[in-house]
Amino acid sequence: MSIDMAQFHQVFFEECFEGLEAMESGLLNLDTGDIDSEAINVIFRGAHSIKGGSGTFGFSNVADFTHIMETLLDEMRDGRRQVTQAAIDVLLGSVDCLREMITAIQQEQDVDETRVAEQKSALEVELYGSEASVEPSPVNHSIAMETPVAMSEPAPAQQHEHQGYEIAFTPYLTLLQTGNDPVRMFRELAELGELTASVNVQDIPDFYELNPEACYLAWDLKVAGDIAEDEVNEIFDWVKGDCELEIQSLAAKPVKDPVAHIPAIDAETLSNTPESGISEPAAISPPPVTEDAVNKMAPQKAEPEPAKTVTKSSSTIRVDTAKIDTLINMVGELVITQSMLSLVGEHFAMNKESQLKSGLAQLERHTRELQQSVMNIRMLPISFVFSRFPRLVHDISSKLGKKIELKLVGENTEVDKAVVELINDPLVHLIRNSLDHGIEMPADRIAAGKPETGTIELRAYHRGGHIVIEIIDDGRGLNKDKIKAKAIEKGLIDKHSTLTDKQVFELIFLPGFSTAEQLTDISGRGVGMDVVRKNIQELGGNIEITSELDKGTTISIHLPLTLAILDGQSVAVGDEIYIVPLVSIIESINITEKMLNRVAGKGETFRLRNEYIPIIRMHEIFNVQSAKASQLAEGIIVVVEGQGMRCGLFVDDLLGQQQVVIKSLEANYKRVEGISGATILGDGSVALILDIPGLVRLSNR
Amino acid sequence: MASILAVDDSASMRKMVSLTLKSAGYDVEEAVDGVDAFAKAQSRQFDCIVTDVNMPNKDGITLIKDLRLLSNYKFIPMLMLTTESGAEKKQEGKAAGATGWIVKPFNPDQLIKILKKVLG
């Protein structure tokens, strides 16, 4: 039966124009910087519908084009990307371009391909920075090699004859609640080959405990025939996660020796997710290449794998067995301490006090060690991130015609898994900047009396509860005068302001700042550094630049070792205790009336070393009735910095510094502005952890 | 004759789904968003729901979640139309109680094939 798709085209075109109009007005009303997710969602939905429809109705060029817009908008909606004027402009241009495309299709004219290609690349640059233009470059042996291998994944399965599959299918009790009927799957399996099924009824409970809506049955299925794994997998695609599933290929007759090891992998890949199943055969069955080529590829080949482990299997983690052993050992110690303590407690007399004390001391030690060991499990070497950079540097430097050597130092430094996942993008951006703007062309370097080959050093090390990642290049350094001139031109600073070196370098983190005279496709669209800083701050870290003209630039990123524990300063406001993240505290001071400055309608500020700092009265913001100090001079001002803004938190008292375990407030209660989470204090009470950037925003309102 | 509720805010997609399924002999009713669909689903019993995910007023995932709470939709197959990039959405949909998904873009034959599977 065939349906004439053309009958839907007219409706689709009308819908497109409506959608485009909505997108356009949405884009025009969008404020830069601020993320109004509902407003973005309206725009996103427009792009999404056009993409879905055009794909279905066969306008693949429209679908491809809107896909990029959609991706861009999606990132904005999720807050992964800032809404910049540049992005809005590109999107508006794309709306125009799309309108032209659809009009042309509607009137059955040719689409202006050059215009589309131009607009598309503008979108891609906005989306990926330069990635889009870098990736498809012809130097990428390993990508070029890998794609066909990955795509032809079912091929090895077809090289030998399957006799069928044995499937152990144990649905969870809840399977039926998604409307999935096992009978449907059996029917489909029966269509593939001869199906024999035996049911396992042992899990059926007593009649009185039986829940009529639960699925207690399990099946052993055997389907015979020469069937591709994919077909079997596809049948169970919808119920993955709702059942225990083991699909085993029945003794397959290997056709050739070289693929004899494949059946073993089949079973393994099948029990995995389809995604990881694809990557594994790719790595195992190398394409026939000359030894020379293999040698050349070896360092590059190693690169995609860790990256995949990090991005795809984000819910699982590979742990060194030694770490597990330590953990088990720790738990053993803890049990011993516990039994010793309960012995003391059972027949307690005052003369056993010293025993009790030593027992408690042991308990404390073991708990601390156990905590450390557990944290340790989440730690991954930073090489997971670093390992992809040699390739990046190689590709980009050859594209730019520069000679650059990348040195990696401290790759084994361990850092929390979450940090590993989130630090990648900022690092890519920073390295690109160094490659593009930092290192000079070989001729310039020789003229400046430097070695022809530039060096970029990527270094990671631990320093006092933090991990420090440094990107050091020996390039031309930052030109302070140029940065200042640019900032004045962009109206970011006053013409007469005097700035320290550090303050000048800070300027490049401001939104919309770009010093490159000529924008290249590698970097320098001015949408980068502010996002980089924001990402790093979201991880609870900070970023600093030091640079010397003609000598080079060093960018240091300081990150907490883990995201689950935070170094905090507890402060008192009346009866309430709040935790201020230590990294955001600059100093804490008593102020005098003299330093105060009240501006009508603008709130209170105070003067600290020639800088006016707004004051946030914590007891007013969180409505704490019991606050002791109401006069600013009576309490303490904690000067904090969040997203480049400084402000003073007015509190009653400083209590102490401590490590706190972060508990999500959202998961247990709901999101509260100005609060990033909660923790439980030693006495069992709950203290809220302040979200400094959020607090600054809150007080600005 | 099995009855299907087709939910999509895009008129062209909705018409396409609905006409395709009608031509295959199903009894199809259309709804323009989650709110509309929820009201229609309560006014009569459908044997299957096919819904888009991203819609104004009430999205497809919320719709599925809400319908699953009704006793007469507890075990009814509900399929969502999703784009290939929506692995996350698939999981979200499953958590809400979706039976499965149909990946966009799809052609009429694929749609019918999947519905036949589900409805038997």
Side-chain angles (χ1 to χ4, degrees), chain A residues 486-552:
Chain A
K486 183 89 177 189
I488 292 167
E489 179 200 318
K490 294 231 164 186
L492 297 170
I493 51 165
D494 188 66
K495 206 170 178 177
H496 305 290
S497 52
T498 47
L499 299 173
T500 62
D501 287 1
K502 207 182 148 200
Q503 283 169 322
V504 173
F505 297 144
E506 281 279 300
L507 292 172
I508 67 171
F509 290 115
L510 293 175
F513 190 91
S514 166
T515 51
E517 287 142 28
Q518 215 177 356
L519 300 177
T520 67
D521 57 354
I522 304 293
S523 59
R525 302 283 312 185
V527 287
M529 290 303 267
D530 54 326
V531 180
V532 167
R533 178 155 80 170
K534 197 173 141 252
N535 288 349
I536 287 167
Q537 282 173 340
E538 272 166 15
L539 285 169
N542 61 48
I543 179 166
E544 267 172 31
I545 294 191
T546 50
S547 180
E548 209 174 323
L549 199 58
D550 297 328
K551 292 263 175 66

Coordinates of all heavy atoms in Angstrom, one line a residue, chain A residues 486-552:
Chain A
K486 N 40.7 47.2 23.1 CA 39.5 46.5 22.6 C 38.3 46.6 23.6 O 37.2 46.9 23.2 CB 39.9 45.0 22.5 CG 38.8 44.2 21.9 CD 38.8 44.1 20.4 CE 37.7 43.2 19.9 NZ 37.9 43.0 18.5
A487 N 38.7 46.5 24.9 CA 37.7 46.6 25.9 C 37.1 48.0 25.9 O 35.9 48.2 26.2 CB 38.3 46.3 27.3
I488 N 37.9 49.0 25.7 CA 37.4 50.4 25.7 C 36.5 50.5 24.5 O 35.4 51.1 24.6 CB 38.5 51.4 25.6 CG1 39.3 51.4 27.0 CG2 38.0 52.8 25.4 CD1 40.6 52.1 27.0
E489 N 36.9 50.0 23.4 CA 36.1 50.1 22.1 C 34.8 49.4 22.3 O 33.8 49.9 21.8 CB 36.9 49.4 21.0 CG 36.2 49.4 19.7 CD 36.9 48.4 18.8 OE1 38.1 48.2 18.7 OE2 36.1 47.7 18.1
K490 N 34.8 48.3 23.0 CA 33.5 47.6 23.2 C 32.7 48.1 24.3 O 31.6 47.6 24.7 CB 33.8 46.1 23.5 CG 34.5 45.4 22.3 CD 33.7 44.1 22.0 CE 34.1 43.6 20.6 NZ 33.4 42.5 20.2
G491 N 33.3 49.2 25.0 CA 32.5 49.8 26.1 C 32.5 48.9 27.3 O 31.6 49.1 28.2
L492 N 33.5 48.0 27.5 CA 33.5 47.2 28.6 C 34.1 47.8 29.8 O 33.8 47.5 31.0 CB 34.2 45.8 28.3 CG 33.6 45.0 27.2 CD1 34.5 43.9 26.8 CD2 32.2 44.4 27.7
I493 N 35.1 48.7 29.5 CA 35.7 49.5 30.6 C 35.8 50.9 30.3 O 35.6 51.3 29.1 CB 37.2 49.0 30.9 CG1 38.0 48.9 29.7 CG2 37.2 47.6 31.6 CD1 39.5 48.8 29.9
D494 N 36.0 51.7 31.3 CA 36.1 53.2 31.1 C 37.5 53.5 30.5 O 38.5 52.8 30.8 CB 35.9 53.9 32.4 CG 35.8 55.4 32.2 OD1 34.8 55.8 31.6 OD2 36.7 56.1 32.7
K495 N 37.5 54.6 29.7 CA 38.7 54.9 29.0 C 39.9 55.2 30.0 O 41.0 55.0 29.7 CB 38.4 56.2 28.2 CG 39.3 56.3 27.0 CD 38.7 57.5 26.1 CE 39.6 57.7 24.9 NZ 39.1 58.7 24.0
H496 N 39.5 55.8 31.1 CA 40.6 56.3 32.0 C 40.9 55.3 33.1 O 41.7 55.6 34.0 CB 40.2 57.6 32.6 CG 39.8 58.6 31.5 ND1 40.8 59.2 30.7 CD2 38.7 59.2 31.1 CE1 40.2 60.0 29.8 NE2 38.9 60.0 30.0
S497 N 40.2 54.2 33.1 CA 40.5 53.3 34.3 C 41.9 52.7 34.2 O 42.4 52.4 33.2 CB 39.4 52.2 34.3 OG 39.4 51.6 33.0
T498 N 42.5 52.6 35.4 CA 43.8 52.0 35.5 C 43.6 50.6 36.0 O 42.9 50.4 37.0 CB 44.7 52.8 36.5 OG1 44.0 53.0 37.6 CG2 45.2 54.1 35.9
L499 N 44.1 49.7 35.3 CA 43.9 48.3 35.6 C 45.3 47.6 35.9 O 46.3 47.9 35.2 CB 43.2 47.5 34.5 CG 41.8 48.0 34.1 CD1 41.4 47.3 32.9 CD2 40.9 47.8 35.2
T500 N 45.3 46.6 36.8 CA 46.5 45.8 37.0 C 46.5 44.8 35.9 O 45.5 44.6 35.2 CB 46.4 45.1 38.4 OG1 45.3 44.2 38.3 CG2 46.2 46.0 39.5
D501 N 47.7 44.2 35.8 CA 47.8 43.2 34.7 C 46.7 42.1 34.8 O 46.1 41.7 33.9 CB 49.2 42.5 34.8 CG 50.3 43.4 34.4 OD1 50.0 44.5 34.0 OD2 51.5 42.9 34.4
K502 N 46.5 41.7 36.1 CA 45.6 40.6 36.3 C 44.2 41.1 35.9 O 43.4 40.3 35.2 CB 45.6 40.3 37.8 CG 45.1 38.9 38.1 CD 45.1 38.6 39.5 CE 44.0 37.6 39.8 NZ 43.5 37.5 41.1
Q503 N 43.8 42.3 36.2 CA 42.5 42.8 35.8 C 42.4 42.9 34.3 O 41.3 42.6 33.7 CB 42.3 44.2 36.4 CG 41.9 44.1 37.9 CD 41.9 45.4 38.6 OE1 42.8 46.3 38.3 NE2 41.0 45.6 39.5
V504 N 43.5 43.2 33.6 CA 43.5 43.3 32.2 C 43.2 41.9 31.6 O 42.3 41.8 30.7 CB 44.8 43.9 31.6 CG1 44.8 43.8 30.1 CG2 45.0 45.3 32.0
F505 N 43.9 40.9 32.1 CA 43.7 39.6 31.6 C 42.3 39.1 31.8 O 41.7 38.3 31.1 CB 44.7 38.6 32.2 CG 46.1 38.9 31.8 CD1 47.2 38.7 32.7 CD2 46.4 39.5 30.6 CE1 48.5 39.1 32.4 CE2 47.7 39.8 30.2 CZ 48.8 39.6 31.1
E506 N 41.7 39.5 33.0 CA 40.4 39.2 33.3 C 39.4 39.6 32.2 O 38.3 39.0 32.0 CB 39.9 39.9 34.6 CG 40.5 39.2 35.9 CD 39.6 38.0 36.2 OE1 38.4 38.2 36.5 OE2 40.2 36.9 36.2
L507 N 39.7 40.7 31.5 CA 38.8 41.2 30.5 C 38.4 40.2 29.5 O 37.3 40.2 29.0 CB 39.4 42.5 29.9 CG 39.6 43.7 30.7 CD1 40.3 44.8 30.0 CD2 38.2 44.2 31.2
I508 N 39.4 39.3 29.2 CA 39.0 38.4 28.0 C 38.0 37.4 28.4 O 37.5 36.7 27.6 CB 40.3 37.7 27.5 CG1 40.9 36.7 28.5 CG2 41.3 38.7 27.0 CD1 41.9 35.9 27.9
F509 N 37.7 37.4 29.7 CA 36.6 36.4 30.1 C 35.2 37.1 30.0 O 34.2 36.5 30.3 CB 36.8 36.0 31.6 CG 38.0 35.1 31.7 CD1 39.1 35.4 32.5 CD2 38.0 33.8 31.1 CE1 40.1 34.6 32.6 CE2 39.0 33.0 31.2 CZ 40.1 33.3 32.0
L510 N 35.2 38.4 29.7 CA 33.9 39.0 29.6 C 33.2 38.5 28.3 O 33.8 38.3 27.3 CB 34.1 40.5 29.5 CG 34.6 41.1 30.8 CD1 34.9 42.6 30.6 CD2 33.7 40.9 32.0
P511 N 31.8 38.4 28.4 CA 31.1 38.0 27.3 C 31.3 38.9 26.1 O 31.4 40.1 26.2 CB 29.6 38.0 27.8 CG 29.7 38.0 29.2 CD 31.0 38.6 29.6
G512 N 31.4 38.3 24.9 CA 31.5 39.1 23.7 C 32.8 39.7 23.4 O 33.0 40.7 22.7
F513 N 33.9 39.2 24.1 CA 35.2 39.8 23.9 C 36.1 38.9 23.0 O 36.2 37.7 23.1 CB 35.9 39.9 25.2 CG 37.1 40.7 25.2 CD1 37.1 42.1 25.4 CD2 38.4 40.1 24.9 CE1 38.2 42.8 25.3 CE2 39.5 40.9 24.8 CZ 39.4 42.3 25.0
S514 N 36.7 39.5 22.0 CA 37.6 38.7 21.1 C 38.7 39.6 20.6 O 38.4 40.7 20.2 CB 36.8 38.2 19.9 OG 37.7 37.7 19.0
T515 N 39.9 39.2 20.8 CA 41.0 40.0 20.4 C 41.6 39.8 19.0 O 42.3 40.5 18.4 CB 42.2 39.9 21.3 OG1 42.5 38.5 21.4 CG2 41.9 40.5 22.7
A516 N 41.2 38.6 18.4 CA 41.8 38.3 17.1 C 41.3 39.3 16.1 O 40.2 39.6 16.0 CB 41.3 36.9 16.7
E517 N 42.3 39.9 15.4 CA 41.9 40.9 14.4 C 41.1 40.3 13.3 O 40.2 40.8 12.8 CB 43.2 41.5 13.8 CG 43.9 42.5 14.8 CD 45.4 42.4 14.8 OE1 45.9 42.1 13.7 OE2 46.0 42.6 15.8
Q518 N 41.5 39.1 13.0 CA 40.8 38.4 12.0 C 40.2 37.1 12.6 O 40.9 36.3 13.2 CB 41.7 38.0 10.8 CG 41.0 38.1 9.5 CD 42.0 37.8 8.4 OE1 43.2 37.6 8.6 NE2 41.5 37.8 7.2
L519 N 38.9 37.0 12.4 CA 38.3 35.8 13.0 C 38.7 34.6 12.1 O 38.6 34.6 10.9 CB 36.8 35.9 13.0 CG 36.3 37.1 13.8 CD1 34.8 37.2 13.7 CD2 36.7 37.0 15.3
T520 N 39.2 33.5 12.8 CA 39.5 32.3 12.0 C 38.5 31.3 12.4 O 37.7 31.5 13.3 CB 40.9 31.8 12.4 OG1 40.8 31.4 13.8 CG2 41.9 32.9 12.3
D521 N 38.5 30.2 11.7 CA 37.5 29.2 12.0 C 38.0 28.3 13.1 O 37.4 27.3 13.5 CB 37.1 28.4 10.8 CG 38.3 27.7 10.1 OD1 39.4 28.0 10.6 OD2 38.1 27.0 9.2
I522 N 39.2 28.5 13.6 CA 39.7 27.7 14.7 C 39.2 28.2 16.0 O 38.8 27.5 16.9 CB 41.3 27.7 14.7 CG1 41.8 27.2 13.4 CG2 41.8 26.8 15.9 CD1 41.6 25.8 13.1
S523 N 39.2 29.5 16.2 CA 38.7 30.1 17.4 C 38.5 31.5 17.2 O 38.6 32.0 16.1 CB 39.8 29.9 18.5 OG 41.0 30.6 18.1
G524 N 38.1 32.2 18.2 CA 38.0 33.6 18.1 C 36.7 34.1 17.6 O 36.6 35.1 16.9
R525 N 35.6 33.5 17.9 CA 34.3 34.1 17.6 C 33.8 34.9 18.8 O 32.7 35.4 18.7 CB 33.3 33.0 17.2 CG 33.7 32.1 16.1 CD 33.5 32.7 14.8 NE 32.2 33.4 14.6 CZ 31.8 33.9 13.4 NH1 32.6 33.8 12.4 NH2 30.7 34.5 13.3
G526 N 34.6 35.0 19.8 CA 34.2 35.8 20.9 C 33.1 35.2 21.7 O 32.5 35.9 22.5
V527 N 32.9 33.9 21.5 CA 31.8 33.3 22.3 C 32.4 32.3 23.3 O 31.8 31.5 23.8 CB 30.8 32.6 21.5 CG1 29.9 33.6 20.8 CG2 31.4 31.6 20.5
G528 N 33.7 32.4 23.4 CA 34.4 31.3 24.1 C 34.7 31.4 25.5 O 34.2 30.7 26.4
M529 N 35.6 32.4 25.8 CA 36.2 32.4 27.1 C 35.2 32.6 28.3 O 35.4 32.1 29.3 CB 37.2 33.6 27.2 CG 38.5 33.3 26.3 SD 39.2 31.7 26.8 CE 40.5 32.3 27.9
D530 N 34.1 33.4 28.0 CA 33.2 33.6 29.0 C 32.5 32.3 29.4 O 32.2 31.9 30.5 CB 32.1 34.7 28.7 CG 31.5 34.4 27.4 OD1 32.2 33.9 26.5 OD2 30.3 34.8 27.2
V531 N 32.2 31.5 28.3 CA 31.6 30.2 28.5 C 32.5 29.2 29.2 O 32.1 28.5 30.1 CB 31.1 29.6 27.2 CG1 30.5 28.2 27.4 CG2 30.2 30.5 26.4
V532 N 33.8 29.3 28.8 CA 34.8 28.5 29.5 C 34.8 28.8 31.0 O 34.8 27.9 31.8 CB 36.2 28.7 28.9 CG1 37.3 28.1 29.8 CG2 36.3 28.2 27.5
R533 N 34.8 30.0 31.3 CA 34.9 30.4 32.7 C 33.6 29.9 33.5 O 33.7 29.4 34.6 CB 35.1 31.9 32.9 CG 35.1 32.2 34.4 CD 35.9 33.4 34.8 NE 35.1 34.6 34.5 CZ 35.5 35.8 34.9 NH1 36.6 35.9 35.6 NH2 34.7 36.8 34.7
K534 N 32.5 30.1 32.8 CA 31.3 29.7 33.4 C 31.3 28.2 33.7 O 30.9 27.8 34.8 CB 30.1 30.1 32.5 CG 28.8 30.1 33.2 CD 27.7 30.7 32.3 CE 26.4 29.9 32.4 NZ 26.1 29.0 31.4
N535 N 31.7 27.5 32.7 CA 31.7 26.0 32.9 C 32.6 25.6 34.1 O 32.3 24.7 34.9 CB 32.3 25.3 31.7 CG 31.3 25.3 30.5 OD1 30.1 25.7 30.8 ND2 31.7 25.0 29.3
I536 N 33.8 26.3 34.2 CA 34.7 25.9 35.2 C 34.1 26.3 36.6 O 34.3 25.6 37.6 CB 36.1 26.5 34.9 CG1 36.7 25.7 33.8 CG2 37.0 26.5 36.1 CD1 37.9 26.3 33.2
Q537 N 33.5 27.5 36.6 CA 32.9 27.9 37.8 C 31.8 27.0 38.3 O 31.5 26.8 39.5 CB 32.4 29.3 37.7 CG 33.6 30.3 37.8 CD 33.2 31.7 37.6 OE1 32.1 32.0 37.0 NE2 34.0 32.7 38.0
E538 N 31.1 26.5 37.3 CA 30.0 25.5 37.6 C 30.6 24.3 38.3 O 29.9 23.6 39.1 CB 29.2 25.1 36.4 CG 28.1 26.1 36.1 CD 27.5 25.9 34.7 OE1 27.8 24.9 34.1 OE2 26.8 26.9 34.3
L539 N 31.8 23.9 38.0 CA 32.4 22.8 38.6 C 33.0 23.2 40.0 O 33.7 22.4 40.6 CB 33.6 22.3 37.7 CG 33.2 21.5 36.5 CD1 34.4 21.3 35.6 CD2 32.6 20.2 36.9
G540 N 32.8 24.4 40.4 CA 33.3 24.9 41.6 C 34.8 25.3 41.6 O 35.5 25.3 42.6
G541 N 35.3 25.6 40.4 CA 36.7 25.9 40.2 C 36.9 27.3 39.8 O 35.9 28.1 39.7
N542 N 38.1 27.7 39.5 CA 38.3 29.0 38.9 C 39.5 29.0 37.9 O 40.2 28.0 37.8 CB 38.6 30.1 40.0 CG 39.8 29.8 40.8 OD1 40.8 29.5 40.3 ND2 39.6 29.8 42.1
I543 N 39.6 30.0 37.1 CA 40.6 30.0 36.1 C 41.3 31.3 36.1 O 40.8 32.4 36.4 CB 39.9 29.8 34.7 CG1 40.9 29.8 33.5 CG2 38.8 30.8 34.5 CD1 40.3 29.3 32.2
E544 N 42.6 31.2 35.9 CA 43.5 32.4 36.0 C 44.4 32.4 34.8 O 44.8 31.4 34.3 CB 44.4 32.3 37.2 CG 43.8 33.0 38.4 CD 44.6 32.7 39.7 OE1 45.8 32.6 39.5 OE2 44.0 32.7 40.7
I545 N 44.8 33.7 34.4 CA 45.7 33.8 33.3 C 46.9 34.6 33.7 O 46.8 35.6 34.4 CB 45.1 34.5 32.1 CG1 43.9 33.7 31.5 CG2 46.1 34.8 31.0 CD1 43.4 34.2 30.2
T546 N 48.1 34.1 33.4 CA 49.3 35.0 33.5 C 49.9 34.9 32.2 O 49.9 33.9 31.5 CB 50.3 34.5 34.6 OG1 50.5 33.1 34.3 CG2 49.7 34.6 36.0
S547 N 50.5 36.1 31.8 CA 51.0 36.1 30.4 C 52.1 37.2 30.4 O 52.1 38.2 31.0 CB 49.9 36.4 29.4 OG 50.4 36.5 28.1
E548 N 53.1 36.9 29.6 CA 54.2 37.8 29.3 C 54.3 38.0 27.8 O 54.4 37.0 27.1 CB 55.5 37.3 30.0 CG 56.3 38.5 30.4 CD 57.5 37.9 31.2 OE1 57.4 36.9 31.9 OE2 58.6 38.5 31.0
L549 N 54.4 39.2 27.4 CA 54.4 39.5 26.0 C 55.7 38.9 25.4 O 56.8 39.0 25.9 CB 54.4 41.0 25.7 CG 54.0 41.5 24.3 CD1 52.7 41.0 24.0 CD2 54.1 43.0 24.2
D550 N 55.5 38.2 24.3 CA 56.5 37.5 23.5 C 57.1 36.3 24.3 O 58.0 35.6 23.7 CB 57.7 38.4 23.2 CG 57.2 39.5 22.2 OD1 56.3 39.2 21.4 OD2 57.7 40.6 22.3
K551 N 56.7 36.0 25.5 CA 57.2 34.9 26.2 C 56.2 33.7 26.2 O 56.6 32.6 26.2 CB 57.6 35.3 27.6 CG 58.8 36.2 27.7 CD 60.1 35.5 28.0 CE 61.3 36.4 27.9 NZ 61.3 37.4 29.1
G552 N 55.0 34.1 26.4 CA 54.0 33.0 26.4 C 52.9 33.3 27.4 O 52.9 34.3 28.1

